């Protein structure tokens, strides 16, 4: 009954909105400006409360075989730190344990493997959980995107009834994304985002052919919506045309909110 009521409420809300942001739903134009405004308001309220977060993280790394099954090659236990500033966020990872084929490796190997993965992430220009996922909807970015509203998703998303937005960058440019956003109809929080860069990295020694990412959110005991899982699936070519496939899933647990993180952890001194 709750799900049915949510669907009715969402449809009624969509029908009542004033026309300013155009979208498509079942072939007819509907305005979704009020939904977008509420999404951003909810995000801003939480950002006002949360200054920093520390997660216990577990990362599974491997690739998908020809049958679409994930084959694990390595597993890492980490700590992930995020500190929110006025106009950006600081991000840091600390690799604590490294398992290769199920066997715990040395602390030295864990740190070495961690450095390599941080460098690879930077080279691929992959996003992380510090990225403002609703950025395409910000007023200053709106002209960079085509935003399509596809109505209420026919199936629940991780147990939630959701609005479905499809966003596509107008131009292929670094920092822009294409993706599907699922926003819960009850509280207008982001539940899931499936996305990819609008422009893939293409350099002399490394070229990306595919980079698909997905991030999931859920409420904690204080009803803060926090990331719980980040998936990545990529394919490219390294030097000498060597094919590279990579995939992974990262889980975020036991968040510590507003515990205080020193700027020096991010390589920042005196606020710079």
């Amino acid at each position: 009954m709750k799900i049915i009521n949510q669907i009715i409420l969402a449809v009624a809300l969509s029908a009542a909105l004033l026309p300013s942001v155009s979208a498509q739903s079942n072939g007819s134009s509907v305005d979704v400006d009020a939904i977008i405004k509420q999404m951003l308001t909810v995000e801003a309220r939480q950002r006002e409360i949360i200054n920093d977060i520390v997660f216990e993280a577990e990362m599974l790394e491997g690739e998908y075989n020809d049958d679409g099954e994930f084959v694990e090659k390595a597993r890492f236990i980490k700590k992930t730190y995020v500190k929110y500033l006025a106009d950006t966020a600081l991000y840091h990872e600390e690799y604590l344990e490294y398992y290769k084929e199920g066997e715990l490796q040395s602390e030295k190997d864990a740190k070495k493997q961690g450095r390599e993965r941080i460098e690879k992430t930077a080279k691929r220009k992959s996003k992380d959980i510090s990225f403002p996922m609703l950025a395409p909807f910000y007023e200053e970015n709106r002209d960079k995107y085509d935003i399509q509203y596809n109505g209420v998703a026919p199936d629940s998303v991780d147990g939630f009834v959701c609005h479905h937005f499809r966003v596509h960058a107008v131009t292929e440019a670094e920092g822009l994304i294409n993706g599907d956003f699922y926003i819960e109809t009850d509280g207008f929080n982001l539940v899931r985002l499936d996305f990819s860069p609008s422009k893939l990295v293409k350099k002399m020694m490394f070229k990306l052919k595919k980079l698909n990412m997905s991030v999931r959110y859920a409420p904690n005991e204080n009803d803060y919506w926090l990331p719980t899982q980040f998936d990545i699936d990529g394919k490219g070519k390294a030097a000498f045309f060597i094919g590279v496939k990579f995939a992974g899933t990262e889980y975020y647990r036991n968040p510590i909110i507003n515990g205080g993180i020193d700027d020096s952890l991010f390589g920042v001194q005196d606020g710079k």
Side-chain angles (χ1 to χ4, degrees):
M1 181 63 70
K2 181 179 179 181
I3 291 178
I4 294 174
N5 289 338
Q6 289 177 8
I7 294 175
I8 294 173
L9 177 62
V11 172
L13 175 62
S14 299
L17 301 177
L18 297 175
S20 63
V21 177
S22 181
Q24 294 298 315
S25 177
N26 299 324
S28 61
S29 293
V30 295
D31 179 76
V32 294
D33 194 54
I35 298 177
I36 293 175
K37 182 178 179 181
Q38 189 62 28
M39 287 159 45
L40 298 180
T41 298
V42 168
E43 181 198 48
R45 285 173 181 166
Q46 180 164 300
R47 284 290 298 270
E48 288 178 357
I49 297 170
I50 298 178
N51 300 314
D52 56 69
I53 311 177
V54 180
F55 291 98
E56 293 178 6
E58 179 184 22
M59 183 174 76
L60 281 60
E61 187 179 86
E63 64 180 53
Y64 289 98
N65 61 23
D66 294 337
D67 295 326
E69 299 172 334
F70 179 76
V71 179
E72 181 184 324
K73 294 184 176 180
R75 182 186 299 257
F76 297 89
I77 304 299
K78 309 190 299 180
K79 273 196 174 182
T80 299
Y81 303 80
V82 182
K83 185 169 186 175
Y84 297 102
L85 305 181
D87 57 355
T88 188
L90 304 177
Y91 181 81
H92 178 73
E93 295 176 305
E94 182 180 353
Y95 283 73
L96 304 175
E97 297 178 10
Y98 165 42
Y99 294 83
K100 182 178 181 181
E101 297 179 357
E103 294 292 330
L104 178 63
Q105 306 299 299
S106 69
E107 182 179 346
K108 181 180 178 181
D109 283 341
K111 293 185 181 300
K112 178 177 180 293
Q113 292 291 329
R115 287 193 299 270
E116 290 180 0
R117 277 147 184 79
I118 291 170
E119 291 171 0
K120 286 179 181 179
T121 298
K123 181 171 68 173
R124 296 166 183 162
K125 298 188 183 299
S126 301
K127 304 298 183 187
D128 56 56
I129 57 172
S130 68
F131 180 73
M133 298 299 174
L134 294 183
F137 298 94
Y138 295 171
E139 185 176 352
E140 63 269 25
N141 296 329
R142 194 72 65 82
D143 61 346
K144 301 174 185 175
Y145 289 94
D146 288 326
I147 298 176
Q148 178 177 311
Y149 177 64
N150 290 339
V152 175
D155 300 315
S156 67
V157 179
D158 296 339
F160 296 94
V161 177
C162 292
H163 299 289
H164 177 203
F165 287 88
R166 179 159 292 163
V167 169
H168 193 274
V170 175
T171 59
E172 293 184 1
E174 186 175 320
L176 303 184
I177 65 172
N178 303 321
D180 290 279
F181 291 76
Y182 297 92
I183 311 294
E184 51 126 9
T185 57
D186 253 2
F188 299 92
N189 293 283
L190 177 61
V191 174
R192 193 178 86 204
L193 166 59
D194 302 325
F195 68 108
S196 59
S198 71
K199 183 178 181 180
L200 294 173
V201 173
K202 292 184 179 180
K203 296 182 178 180
M204 183 176 297
M205 300 299 288
F206 181 75
K207 294 183 180 180
L208 267 177
K209 298 183 68 176
K210 178 182 77 171
L211 182 60
N212 295 331
M213 293 168 281
S214 180
V215 60
R216 298 168 184 261
Y217 294 80
N220 72 352
E221 64 275 10
N222 295 316
D223 206 30
Y224 297 137
W225 280 72
L226 305 174
T228 59
Q229 181 175 331
F230 194 105
D231 299 293
I232 185 168
D233 180 19
K235 185 177 181 180
K237 285 187 176 181
F240 308 110
F241 304 101
I242 299 173
V244 177
K245 292 196 301 182
F246 56 93
T249 297
E250 189 159 338
Y251 302 98
Y252 307 97
R253 305 183 179 104
N254 302 322
I256 298 174
I257 298 174
N258 295 339
I261 306 175
D262 195 282
D263 286 351
S264 62
L265 185 66
F266 307 96
V268 176
Q269 299 294 335
D270 298 327
K272 298 180 180 179

